[in-house]
């Protein structure tokens, strides 16, 4: 699982790219997208949907809740 804080929000997505079995947390984050460092596919942090090739399948996203200083992530996938 990769936790990402961007644009004032915290997101949780699967850390494994759906195209290649590599870690997404090593990629760049911009405009609520995380980019796979290996082939350049980007995934929407809110929905997990890819925004370009070579990935065609979404990555799982997980509900996040902030309680004080704690970041709580449900292990139940949203998508």
């Amino acid at each position: 699982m990769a936790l990402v804080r961007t644009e004032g929000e915290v997101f949780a997505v699967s850390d494994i790219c759906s195209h290649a079995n590599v870690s997404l947390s090593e990629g760049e984050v911009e405009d609520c997208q995380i980019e796979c460092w290996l082939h350049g596919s980007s995934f929407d942090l809110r929905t997990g949907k890819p925004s370009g090739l070579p990935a065609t399948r979404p990555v799982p996203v997980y509900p996040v809740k902030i309680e004080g200083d704690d970041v709580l992530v449900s292990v139940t996938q949203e998508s």
Side-chain angles (χ1 to χ4, degrees):
M1 187 175 298
L3 287 176
V4 178
R5 184 170 69 182
T6 185
E7 299 182 14
E9 293 186 70
V10 178
F11 301 93
V13 299
S14 172
D15 190 32
I16 304 300
C17 177
S18 64
H19 168 257
N21 194 23
V22 297
S23 177
L24 287 176
S25 62
E26 296 180 37
E28 299 288 323
V29 174
E30 186 176 336
D31 297 329
C32 221
Q33 300 270 325
I34 190 166
E35 181 181 52
C36 177
W37 62 268
L38 187 58
H39 294 116
S41 290
S42 289
F43 299 88
D44 188 301
L45 291 168
R46 297 165 293 220
T47 65
K49 293 181 180 177
S51 60
L53 298 173
T56 58
R57 292 177 291 126
V59 294
V61 298
Y62 303 90
V64 174
K65 183 177 179 181
I66 307 296
E67 288 185 358
D69 292 335
D70 297 326
V71 177
L72 306 173
V73 180
S74 174
V75 293
T76 304
Q77 295 176 18
E78 284 187 340
S79 63

